[in-house]
Amino acid sequence: MQYDFDTIVPRRGTNSYKWDTPEEEGTLPMWVADMDFRTAPAIVEALRKRVEHGVFGYTKVPEAYYDAVVRWFEGRHRWRIDPRWMIYTSGVVPALSAIIKALTEPGDKVIVQTPAYNCFYSSIRNDGCELSANNLVYRDGRYTIDFDDLEAKAADPKAKLLLLCNPHNPVGRVWTPEELRRVGDICLRHGVTVVADEIHCELTYEGHDYTPFASLSESFRQHSVTCVSPSKAFNLAGLQIANIVAADEEVRRRIDRAININEVCDVNPFGVIATIAAYNESGAWLDALRKYLRENYEYLCRFFAEKLPQYPVLPLEGTYLVWIDCRACGIGSEELASRLQKRERLMVNPGTMYGPGGEGFIRMNIACPRTLLADGLERMARVLP
């Protein structure tokens, strides 16, 4: 079956956070991490049938939901999840906040491999904890983990959690099994629990397979918590659905309590229906999407090579968020993002919002029809010196 990723779906005027936040007409938003594609046809059809029912009361999550999640991760990623390990909630960010609340005390330290997803920082701060930055090493156009520094940070008695972003947002790495094992071994030695944000796990490209951290060993499974959601891969962020996977019963009990304290223990019927349709019926659509996204990335790389060769584009192993080294332009990330918006009405994310190590970089969302991508790149070229 052929899937259409080229048609431009007008989103302005739909209360889209991505498109309706910029007030100036003609603004092209390539910032917020949602896609400008319609979701998989099977999901649309499942939601249509649910809408036609016309009654949208409180939702009981059925066994079919758990079955769909379990089958998907076992079939796609060779990770057998016991449904008893799962806690559903309204999103990965609320999940992270509840996990931090459950597994730390105010004043504890949470390790983050920076630059990293900006909501990590607010979740840490809101739960009264302290950031411990394990800065990624940027060398020869690629990011790696500083394991010596991670060992030192994990050895701090106040360090309780590591927020592991796999695949990594914003630098685009998909951590290898060897890298994950080294991370896990360090954390086990020092009693640090790994909290794996694996929301982008479906969006990886040839030669860079996603490995669930918890799948690598029984010890890792018992000393970690994993957050997953169909929202990124199937463009369902507005339906507010995610899953926490925690094999340890006591850890799960504490997280469940925090979920209830934070009042994010209920989900809506559309999120449940969409998850089932995504995992049961939409694998072929996802495979076509990944191919299209990879071709978008290759188009961007050719454009930069021809017109902006002084600005390195980082390898994209996973996600649809391209990390671009703009230090050669000689201005800070926030000023560059501001100029792009003011002069060309192009919105991208400044690297500084992702914490230490982000200065001099920008993040660009390429999950859009190729004509929009081409438009955005031309706008960028007219601003970058």
Side-chain angles (χ1 to χ4, degrees):
M1 181 183 291
Q2 296 294 315
Y3 298 102
D4 178 13
F5 300 106
D6 287 316
T7 296
I8 296 175
V9 181
R11 298 185 64 192
R12 195 174 295 280
T14 64
N15 298 319
S16 161
Y17 185 79
K18 179 180 181 179
W19 282 83
D20 288 325
T21 296
E23 296 180 358
E24 190 171 10
E25 194 69 28
T27 298
L28 178 57
M30 303 184 80
W31 59 314
V32 175
D34 70 19
M35 300 191 288
D36 293 322
F37 308 121
R38 287 192 175 95
T39 191
I43 298 173
V44 174
E45 178 61 15
L47 292 172
R48 183 189 64 77
K49 289 179 179 178
R50 185 65 183 83
V51 167
E52 286 180 352
H53 182 263
V55 180
F56 311 115
Y58 295 117
T59 294
K60 176 179 170 60
V61 176
E63 288 301 316
Y65 176 89
Y66 296 95
D67 292 343
V69 175
V70 169
R71 279 197 302 269
W72 178 268
F73 278 91
E74 185 169 25
R76 281 255 170 175
H77 306 302
R78 302 174 302 282
W79 180 28
R80 176 69 183 180
I81 299 172
D82 187 321
R84 294 174 298 179
W85 301 345
M86 291 172 53
I87 303 171
Y88 57 78
T89 187
S90 57
V92 165
V93 173
L96 292 171
S97 180
I99 292 165
I100 295 171
K101 181 187 292 292
L103 303 183
T104 65
E105 298 291 338
D108 285 343
K109 292 184 178 181
V110 178
I111 304 168
V112 176
Q113 292 168 321
T114 57
Y117 177 46
N118 51 296
C119 286
F120 283 4
Y121 305 115
S122 56
S123 293
I124 292 167
R125 185 171 59 250
N126 291 342
D127 283 310
C129 291
E130 181 182 338
L131 169 69
S132 178
N134 171 223
N135 297 332
L136 297 173
V137 177
Y138 179 53
R139 184 180 297 121
D140 299 327
R142 189 172 185 268
Y143 281 90
T144 56
I145 296 170
D146 186 339
F147 290 104
D148 290 338
D149 180 71
L150 177 59
E151 184 91 48
K153 296 290 168 53
D156 185 336
K158 294 179 68 177
K160 303 300 181 183
L161 304 179
L162 164 69
L163 297 189
L164 175 71
C165 197
N166 179 42
H168 193 282
N169 171 18
V171 308
R173 279 296 316 277
V174 176
W175 304 119
T176 65
E178 293 73 24
E179 288 171 315
L180 293 174
R181 287 190 184 96
R182 290 188 69 182
V183 168
D185 288 342
I186 289 170
C187 290
L188 279 177
R189 273 199 299 276
H190 299 289
V192 172
T193 299
V194 174
V195 180
D197 172 2
E198 298 183 351
I199 193 171
H200 292 275
C201 66
E202 311 303 342
L203 299 171
T204 62
Y205 306 107
E206 187 174 356
H208 303 286
D209 291 336
Y210 151 71
T211 302
F213 175 81
S215 72
L216 287 169
S217 76
E218 175 65 20
S219 294
F220 289 0
R221 181 163 57 249
Q222 291 297 325
H223 294 87
S224 68
V225 181
T226 301
C227 300
V228 293
S229 171
S231 62
K232 296 302 179 189
F234 296 97
N235 208 24
L236 304 175
L239 299 188
Q240 302 287 292
I241 193 82
N243 292 296
I244 300 168
V245 183
D248 183 274
E249 186 176 358
E250 173 59 18
V251 167
R252 194 165 62 249
R253 185 196 65 77
R254 291 166 65 183
I255 293 171
D256 188 60
R257 177 63 181 151
I259 287 284
N260 281 271
I261 290 171
N262 284 5
E263 301 291 2
V264 287
C265 51
D266 292 320
V267 290
N268 71 75
F270 301 110
V272 173
I273 291 294
T275 297
I276 295 170
Y279 289 155
N280 284 351
E281 304 176 68
S282 304
W285 180 89
L286 176 63
D287 292 337
L289 168 72
R290 292 166 65 194
K291 182 175 183 293
Y292 191 91
L293 291 173
R294 183 66 194 183
E295 291 169 353
N296 267 4
Y297 173 70
E298 290 168 353
Y299 181 96
L300 179 146
C301 288
R302 289 193 299 270
F303 184 95
F304 268 78
E306 294 170 7
K307 298 188 177 182
L308 298 166
Q310 66 272 42
Y311 302 108
V313 175
L314 276 290
L316 189 66
E317 299 175 358
T319 83
Y320 48 70
L321 306 164
V322 179
W323 192 239
I324 303 170
D325 184 348
C326 294
R327 292 177 297 175
C329 73
I331 60 175
S333 295
E334 291 186 25
E335 175 61 24
L336 175 56
S338 177
R339 289 186 189 182
L340 287 168
Q341 186 166 356
K342 288 178 181 177
R343 296 183 186 180
E344 288 294 332
R345 291 173 293 177
L346 174 66
M347 291 185 71
V348 299
N349 294 113
T352 47
M353 72 183 293
Y354 304 105
E359 179 60 274
F361 294 79
I362 59 171
R363 192 190 79 166
M364 187 175 187
N365 179 348
I366 62 168
C368 61
R370 200 152 299 136
T371 51
L372 291 184
L373 174 61
D375 182 9
L377 292 173
E378 293 291 348
R379 296 186 194 203
M380 184 172 289
R382 289 194 289 268
V383 173
L384 282 172

